Amino acid sequence: MRSKKIRNMEEFAAVSGISRPTVSKYFHDPDSVRATTREKIEAALETYEYRPNIYAMNQNRKLTKNIGIVVPYLADPFFAEIARNIEERCIAAGFRPTLYSSHGDPSLETEILDGLRSLKPAGVLLAPLGRASDRSAVEKFCRDVPTVLFDSNIEGLGAAFIGSDNFSFVSQTVEYLTRTGEPPAFFEMKTPANPNANKRRIAYLHMMERLGFEPHVVSIPGEGWAFEEIGKRGALEILKQRALPTDAVLCSNDRLAIGFLSACYELGIRVGREPDCSLRVASNDDHPFSKFTCPSLTTAAHDYDGVSNRSVETLFELVESGGKFRSRTETLFPARLILRASA
């Protein structure tokens, strides 16, 4: 029969016959105590089924091991993938990450940042909403808590920004499409949820001018994060009206492209590089689902590992430097063109 439940470390130290400081030292690092002491503590753990409140222990440290990770929309597999990579790297380094999603809501993003302060985090990795964010709230948080921004940049905020080079994405897709067929139109939302979309449109206009082609930007109504639905609805209208000025389309992101491909299927329009296809579709991101669309999506790929690794490394450097860098740094990773059946 088991003994009574132990409520705290002081009670456990008393029943195990080990001093409170030694017990605490064991829970921070079992190898830091002598083997005989470790065996005695572990035998007592089996007897009393005691497990310390690691969260409370963490909060009592001057510098906790807590890491906050905030993304705009965790239901998006892109953010789920990059957050998974970041979490694994934090855990491997001995930190305790906590993941939050603002669900595209600026007021929730601000609420999350306010709540993170109570965790006394060693640092925070923040992918902000960007244009929709409450800049003053994010700015104040970054002053109070060591923060590295990733994926979505807000100029001047945070100690550093790690992300992808949007010009690299678009320059590769535009160059490929113009070299292999008609120059593409650019398919986007009128009110993009992510500031990267604006940078991609600007890159498209620049590349078309550089290559000597007339640009065609097709902006569809819609806002928020339901990109597939918005893309399909907008594409159905454009395609039914035969309003596309070219037989090649470059979508701002893969999720819009997935909606575009769905509209093409519904209307019986064949997409791809084969002679019986009437439309080519390419995009940007290499979304985790892009290889499974029909046809599979030609896209410019994020360096998921590069962004994840560098984001975590930069945050650790920031923590070790006392929470501040001499100046704000930005690191951009180039894209990699992946050719598939859609273009």
Side-chain angles (χ1 to χ4, degrees), residues 278-328:
S278 56
L279 196 61
R280 294 183 302 151
V281 177
S283 187
N284 304 284
D285 286 340
D286 195 27
H287 186 282
F289 295 166
S290 63
K291 67 178 71 173
F292 303 113
T293 58
C294 293
S296 56
L297 192 58
T298 287
T299 184
H302 280 282
D303 185 345
Y304 286 92
D305 287 340
V307 171
S308 301
N309 283 333
R310 190 61 195 139
S311 295
V312 174
E313 290 167 3
T314 302
L315 184 64
F316 292 167
E317 291 167 5
L318 180 62
V319 170
E320 290 170 4
S321 69
K324 294 186 182 299
F325 289 147
R326 289 185 179 179
S327 60
R328 188 178 190 267

Side-chain angles (χ1 to χ4, degrees), residues 210-223:
R210 177 192 291 184
L211 296 171
F213 296 109
E214 181 183 357
H216 298 283
V217 176
V218 179
S219 297
I220 60 171
E223 58 183 302

Side-chain angles (χ1 to χ4, degrees), residues 73-285:
Y73 201 71
L74 193 55
D76 184 336
F78 165 76
F79 287 111
E81 176 67 12
I82 201 165
R84 179 187 66 80
N85 289 345
I86 287 173
E87 275 191 307
E88 287 179 351
R89 284 156 179 78
C90 289
I91 292 169
F95 285 85
R96 298 179 182 88
T98 305
L99 179 60
Y100 302 86
S101 172
S102 59
H103 300 286
D105 182 348
S107 60
L108 180 56
E109 181 179 73
T110 299
E111 184 179 323
I112 288 168
L113 297 180
D114 288 340
L116 268 169
R117 286 187 175 86
S118 65
L119 285 179
K120 295 192 289 187
V124 168
L125 287 159
L126 168 64
L129 295 174
R131 178 185 57 82
S133 294
D134 182 338
R135 182 184 173 96
S136 61
V138 177
E139 185 174 13
K140 185 176 186 303
F141 180 82
C142 292
R143 285 199 305 265
D144 297 342
V145 179
T147 304
V148 171
L149 271 56
F150 70 97
D151 180 65
S152 176
N153 195 11
I154 302 180
E155 298 294 337
L157 299 192
F161 170 70
I162 316 296
S164 297
D165 181 352
N166 285 290
F167 186 83
S168 171
F169 280 82
V170 177
S171 61
Q172 292 186 66
T173 48
V174 169
E175 191 281 329
Y176 168 71
L177 290 170
T178 55
R179 177 167 47 83
T180 55
E182 287 191 17
F186 188 76
F187 185 77
E188 65 164 12
M189 291 165 52
K190 281 183 181 176
T191 310
N194 189 298
N196 291 324
N198 292 325
K199 295 177 181 177
R200 292 175 182 180
R201 184 197 328 106
I202 293 169
Y204 165 79
L205 295 172
H206 179 85
M207 281 299 297
M208 292 292 279
E209 180 182 0
R210 177 192 291 184
L211 296 171
F213 296 109
E214 181 183 357
H216 298 283
V217 176
V218 179
S219 297
I220 60 171
E223 58 183 302
W225 292 83
F227 297 130
E228 295 87 359
E229 180 182 345
I230 292 168
K232 180 178 181 179
R233 187 170 61 240
L236 282 172
E237 184 173 346
I238 296 295
L239 293 168
K240 286 177 180 177
Q241 294 175 356
R242 301 183 182 276
L244 274 180
T246 174
D247 68 3
V249 177
L250 174 60
C251 296
S252 179
N253 65 62
D254 283 356
R255 291 184 61 196
L256 278 177
I258 290 171
F260 195 101
L261 291 177
S262 177
C264 289
Y265 178 79
E266 188 168 308
L267 296 175
I269 298 173
R270 285 185 58 81
V271 175
R273 293 179 287 178
E274 301 302 320
D276 61 341
C277 295
S278 56
L279 196 61
R280 294 183 302 151
V281 177
S283 187
N284 304 284
D285 286 340

